[in-house]
């Protein structure tokens, strides 16, 4: 599903969080939103799910304005995984994934055959089959993150939004999560990820949106966005960017403030 | 998933509840054989069914004790305990706070003010405790709930933290007013004190009829919203992404809980700890799924309060303890035990 942002602006009180953000993401693309802390990445993600309402501008999904959809209707199109949520109570893995069916069968719905199938499929895709009876509170962070991805997939979304899904994970889990998301995009789901790790972003994303102080500084293919000049402008950090011959993807080495390029 | 566990725990609490009710009806200043208790209760059945089942008539003396004195008190206690248990489970889930209890948003202080004003105004006999006082308490509880909700709202949204804070603030303000009415109470002071400690003494079917509809509607609404409580415990923002209208839902849960709690507090006074501990026990038994947790908490709350009240009215018989002191005396150490146990197991949220 094609996701378009048209001149989105948002502010917290008087402070502008986003200004005139415009971008268009084709169906089945894997997009990374990058930028320094406080640049409006997470706010943009919330606006894309209409959990935060933009002050001006609009978001459309295949041309349909998101603000005209019902909350349940939106949840059937958009799945999301936010950071560090949902581990207060020891729900079983199966119960957590089953909650992803809420937008389909609502407050009273008894899970039917369609739901069971969607749950099984979601668990298989996220690689959490076999964990059904485990309590969410006893899982490792990597396993837990995959369970939350499975829960979002159970919503059978056309668009997946993820807020730093790889933070707190070791490198093998990071790759595991990114592989799941890459597979998802290959099946046609539009995946949008807020990320901090530029190498991971360069390695997996088809497109990047770089934000600074709520404005789009650079947008496009990772090769074009992840340049030494851009990194200096966005983060104020000097870096060397080389095309990695193994992956033919941009590889970034940060320079410490004292070292010369 | 663990449907077996859910069904098992429901059947278990149901069985325990029935046993507690029977035992409680049979013990007291006058002991009544369990068989007589059963006969009395069966007296509600039509004549034809009783003869078909071969159930004889109960001894009239026992029948009077059971039907007029004990059963109203026991059934009322069960309803009050059920309201407190279910509302506690809802608040703990809604606020993601294991220390939440049904009184957390100041319902108890509002009820206390309503009751003490009522006692001072009507000032007449103990009989007044039957008529107008529960209505005063119920009204006070609802007013404080509305006040807390209004204070906690920012741009139409109720934030959990501001809800807790305004609950505390409104609570302390109202408690000061309660102290003030206590000074003005004069010789009615013992009645106010008795009410504040929570008691089921001298309650009749009228009290039950007065409170049961609200408690039933409240618990029914909580059960209808239980799946939403599961979803919201994934985090409020996450719940929005999952299609839940979080703001309306939170208000609906608070209203349902306050309705049941206010009705309970109105007829029983402030009985502490039941609404705090029971959900923890129930979660230990059946897991955190609110679809099972709420009915299990309701049944367990009812059984626990009836058991505590049985102790309250028998331990220094013919005198009585206020049941609120029994629940606090037993509840506090038990809560500490649960806390230690869950820490040892390294599980959060139990």
């Amino acid at each position: 599903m094609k996701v378009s942002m048209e001149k989105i602006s948002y502010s917290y009180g008087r402070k502008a969080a986003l200004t005139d953000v415009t971008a268009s993401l084709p169906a089945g693309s894997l997009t990374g939103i990058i930028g320094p802390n406080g640049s409006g990445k997470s706010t943009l993600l919330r606006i894309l799910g209409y959990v935060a309402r933009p002050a001006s501008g609009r978001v459309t999904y295949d041309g349909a304005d998101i603000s005209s959809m019902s909350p349940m209707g939106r949840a059937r199109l958009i799945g999301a995984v936010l950071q560090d949520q949902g581990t207060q109570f020891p729900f079983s893995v199966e119960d957590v994934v089953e909650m992803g069916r809420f937008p389909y069968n609502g407050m009273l719905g008894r899970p039917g055959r369609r739901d069971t199938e969607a749950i099984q499929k979601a668990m298989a895709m996220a690689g959490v089959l076999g964990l059904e009876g485990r309590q969410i509170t006893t899982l490792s962070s990597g396993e837990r993150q995959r369970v939350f991805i499975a829960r979002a997939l159970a919503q059978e979304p056309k668009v997946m939004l993820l807020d730093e899904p790889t933070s707190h994970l070791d490198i093998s889990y990071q790759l595991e999560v990114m592989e799941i998301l890459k597979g998802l995009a290959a099946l046609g789901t539009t995946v949008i990820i807020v990320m901090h790790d530029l190498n991971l972003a360069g390695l997996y994303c088809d497109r990047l949106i770089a934000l600074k102080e709520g404005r789009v500084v650079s947008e496009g293919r990772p090769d074009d966005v992840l340049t030494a000049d851009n990194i200096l402008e966005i983060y104020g950090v000097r870096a060397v960017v080389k095309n990695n011959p193994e992956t033919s993807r941009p590889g970034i080495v940060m320079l410490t403030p004292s070292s010369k390029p | 998933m663990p449907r077996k566990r859910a069904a098992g725990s429901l059947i278990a609490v149901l069985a325990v509840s029935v046993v507690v009710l029977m035992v409680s009806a049979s013990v007291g200043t006058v002991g009544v054989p369990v068989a007589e208790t059963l006969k009395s209760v069966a007296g509600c059945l039509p004549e034809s069914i009783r003869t078909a089942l071969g159930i004889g008539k109960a001894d009239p003396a026992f029948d009077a004790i059971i039907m007029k004195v004990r059963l109203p008190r026991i059934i009322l206690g069960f309803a009050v305990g059920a309201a407190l248990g279910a509302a506690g489970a809802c608040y703990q889930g809604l606020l993601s706070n294991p220390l939440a209890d049904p009184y957390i948003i100041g319902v108890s202080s509002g009820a206390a003010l309503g009751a003490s004003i009522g006692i001072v105004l009507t000032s007449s006999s103990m009989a007044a405790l039957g008529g107008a006082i529960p209505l005063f308490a119920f009204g006070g509880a609802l007013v404080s709930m509305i006040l807390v909700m209004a204070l906690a709202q920012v741009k139409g949204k109720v934030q959990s933290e501001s809800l807790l804070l305004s609950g505390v603030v409104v609570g302390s303000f109202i408690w000061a007013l309660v102290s003030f009415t206590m000074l003005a109470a004069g010789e009615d002071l013992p009645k106010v004190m008795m009410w504040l400690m929570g008691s089921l003494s001298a309650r009749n079917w009228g009290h039950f009829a007065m409170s049961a509809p609200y408690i039933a509607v409240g618990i029914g609404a909580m059960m209808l919203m239980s799946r939403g409580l599961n979803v919201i415990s994934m985090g409020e923002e996450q719940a929005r992404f999952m299609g839940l209208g979080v703001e309306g839902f939170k208000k609906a849960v608070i209203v349902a809980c306050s309705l049941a709690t206010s009705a309970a507090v109105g007829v029983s006074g402030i009985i502490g700890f039941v609404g705090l501990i029971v959900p923890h026990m129930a979660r230990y038994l059946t897991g955190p799924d609110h679809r099972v947790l709420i009915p299990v908490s309701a049944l367990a709350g009812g059984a626990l309060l009836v058991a505590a009240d049985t102790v309250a009215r028998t331990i220094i018989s013919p005198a009585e303890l206020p049941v609120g002191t029994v629940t606090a005396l037993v509840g506090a150490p038990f809560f500490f035990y649960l806390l230690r146990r869950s820490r040892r197991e390294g599980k959060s949220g139990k």
Side-chain angles (χ1 to χ4, degrees):
Chain A
M1 186 165 258
K2 184 181 161 190
V3 181
S4 298
M5 300 158 235
E6 296 166 20
K7 294 176 90 59
I8 291 171
S9 296
Y10 188 84
S11 57
Y12 292 107
R14 274 206 216 136
K15 193 178 168 292
L18 292 170
T19 313
D20 285 343
V21 173
T22 299
S24 182
L25 314 172
S29 60
L30 184 65
T31 304
I33 304 176
I34 59 169
N37 291 334
S39 58
K41 302 185 297 295
S42 297
T43 308
L44 183 57
L45 200 76
R46 278 156 181 75
I47 287 174
L48 288 177
Y50 207 61
V51 164
R53 293 176 193 191
S56 64
R58 59 181 206 144
V59 178
T60 61
Y61 285 74
D62 272 355
D65 194 324
I66 191 177
S67 64
S68 62
M69 298 174 195
S70 69
M72 291 290 213
R74 275 195 293 271
R76 289 192 289 263
L77 284 185
I78 307 164
V81 178
L82 301 182
Q83 274 181 289
D84 303 328
Q85 298 202 319
T87 49
Q88 185 67 34
F89 295 111
F91 282 102
S92 75
V93 166
E94 192 169 11
D95 282 348
V96 171
V97 179
E98 197 260 338
M99 285 179 212
R101 298 306 289 170
F102 182 72
Y104 291 89
N105 47 29
M107 218 50 107
L108 296 175
R110 299 218 129 273
R113 202 166 53 84
R114 269 289 294 116
D115 299 301
T116 317
E117 278 170 19
I119 291 165
Q120 285 298 314
K121 206 175 146 204
M123 292 184 77
M125 268 178 102
V128 293
L129 285 173
L131 296 180
E132 285 92 340
R134 295 275 302 278
Q135 291 178 342
I136 189 85
T137 41
T138 64
L139 300 180
S140 72
S141 344
E143 288 170 325
R144 200 178 296 156
Q145 195 63 281
R146 281 183 295 160
V147 172
F148 290 151
I149 290 174
R151 183 192 60 205
L153 288 178
Q155 291 173 231
E156 299 185 312
K158 305 283 184 292
V159 178
M160 274 282 271
L161 307 173
L162 303 101
D163 198 354
E164 296 183 35
T166 57
S167 58
H168 313 309
L169 301 187
D170 69 34
I171 47 174
S172 88
Y173 277 138
Q174 289 184 7
L175 295 179
E176 216 172 79
V177 165
M178 292 308 294
E179 285 294 331
I180 294 170
L181 299 176
K182 188 177 157 187
L184 205 57
L187 291 172
T189 309
T190 311
V191 183
I192 303 169
I193 316 171
V194 168
M195 316 187 66
H196 272 304
D197 188 326
L198 299 181
N199 277 305
L200 214 55
L203 197 54
Y204 279 98
C205 295
D206 309 321
R207 314 172 63 82
L208 291 177
I209 299 174
L211 293 177
K212 188 189 179 188
E213 291 166 6
R215 290 174 190 276
V216 177
V217 179
S218 174
E219 194 228 326
R221 298 191 320 124
D223 297 334
D224 303 328
V225 175
L226 294 175
T227 61
D229 286 346
N230 275 344
I231 292 169
L232 186 63
E233 190 194 338
I234 298 163
Y235 295 96
V237 170
R238 288 182 304 118
V240 176
V241 182
K242 285 205 172 108
N243 208 313
N244 186 332
E246 290 282 325
T247 59
S248 64
R249 291 282 194 156
I252 296 129
V253 179
M254 265 66 88
L255 301 176
T256 57
S258 57
S259 55
K260 301 280 180 221
Chain B
M1 68 120 222
R3 309 245 176 268
K4 273 190 190 152
R5 185 179 175 197
S9 49
L10 262 175
I11 291 167
V13 271
L14 203 60
V16 169
S17 300
V18 171
V19 170
V20 167
L21 292 179
M22 293 317 301
V23 170
S24 179
S26 302
V27 301
T29 315
V30 179
V32 178
V34 175
E36 288 296 321
T37 309
L38 285 170
K39 274 188 205 164
S40 267
V41 175
C44 305
L45 296 171
E47 184 76 46
S48 54
I49 297 179
R50 269 187 294 144
T51 36
L53 292 172
I55 303 169
K57 256 199 146 12
D59 183 310
F62 287 147
D63 193 48
I65 293 173
I66 296 293
M67 295 309 289
K68 294 234 165 63
V69 182
R70 287 201 193 143
L71 217 49
R73 177 173 184 162
I74 288 168
I75 299 292
L76 180 73
F78 195 84
V80 167
L84 296 177
C90 280
Y91 275 133
Q92 288 176 8
L94 186 72
L95 303 172
S96 284
N97 187 334
L99 289 177
D101 79 352
Y103 306 136
I104 193 131
I105 62 163
V107 166
S108 55
S109 57
L113 183 62
S116 50
I117 289 175
I119 291 168
V120 172
L121 286 184
T122 56
S123 180
S124 49
S125 57
M126 277 306 270
L129 276 174
I133 303 307
L135 295 178
F136 274 99
F138 184 58
L142 290 184
V143 168
S144 75
M145 183 268 289
I146 291 166
L147 196 63
V148 169
M149 290 268 277
L151 284 178
Q153 277 192 50
V154 184
K155 288 183 195 162
K157 290 184 179 178
V158 176
Q159 306 271 339
S160 296
E161 299 81 34
S162 48
L163 191 70
L164 294 175
L165 286 175
S166 40
V168 171
V169 170
V170 169
S172 356
F173 181 79
I174 294 180
W175 276 120
L177 295 178
V178 173
S179 309
F180 191 74
T181 41
M182 281 164 79
L183 287 177
E187 59 192 26
D188 289 322
L189 188 59
K191 276 188 244 168
V192 178
M193 293 299 291
M194 193 67 184
W195 192 91
L196 289 181
M197 282 188 278
S199 170
L200 293 167
S201 180
R203 301 301 197 265
N204 55 42
W205 286 118
H207 291 96
F208 178 72
M210 199 182 286
S211 58
Y214 299 103
I215 292 176
V217 167
I219 296 179
M222 291 177 216
M223 286 173 67
L224 290 179
M225 294 186 286
S226 55
R227 188 148 188 241
L229 284 167
N230 287 350
V231 171
I232 209 169
S233 62
M234 293 286 111
E236 280 185 23
E237 273 202 317
Q238 186 69 60
R240 279 197 191 104
F241 272 112
M242 292 160 81
L244 184 70
V246 169
E247 289 313 319
F249 178 75
K250 272 161 85 172
K251 286 174 196 166
V253 172
I254 294 169
V255 168
C257 291
S258 300
L259 192 66
T261 310
S262 302
V265 162
V267 289
S268 70
I270 300 168
I271 298 173
F273 274 99
V274 174
L276 178 65
I277 315 167
V278 163
H280 287 265
M281 287 165 52
R283 216 173 281 122
Y284 196 81
L285 198 66
T286 192
D289 185 344
H290 290 89
R291 288 172 292 187
V292 192
L293 183 66
I294 291 172
V296 168
S297 294
L299 290 172
L304 186 75
L305 189 55
V306 171
D309 187 49
T310 311
V311 173
R313 67 185 164 82
T314 52
I315 197 162
I316 52 165
S317 167
E320 281 193 21
L321 283 173
V323 67
T325 54
V326 176
T327 56
L329 283 174
V330 179
F334 186 69
F335 188 66
F336 184 69
Y337 163 76
L338 278 180
L339 204 69
R340 287 299 291 257
R341 184 172 171 149
S342 67
R343 285 284 171 280
R344 256 205 311 280
E345 288 178 8
K347 287 172 192 160
S348 61
K350 278 217 165 165

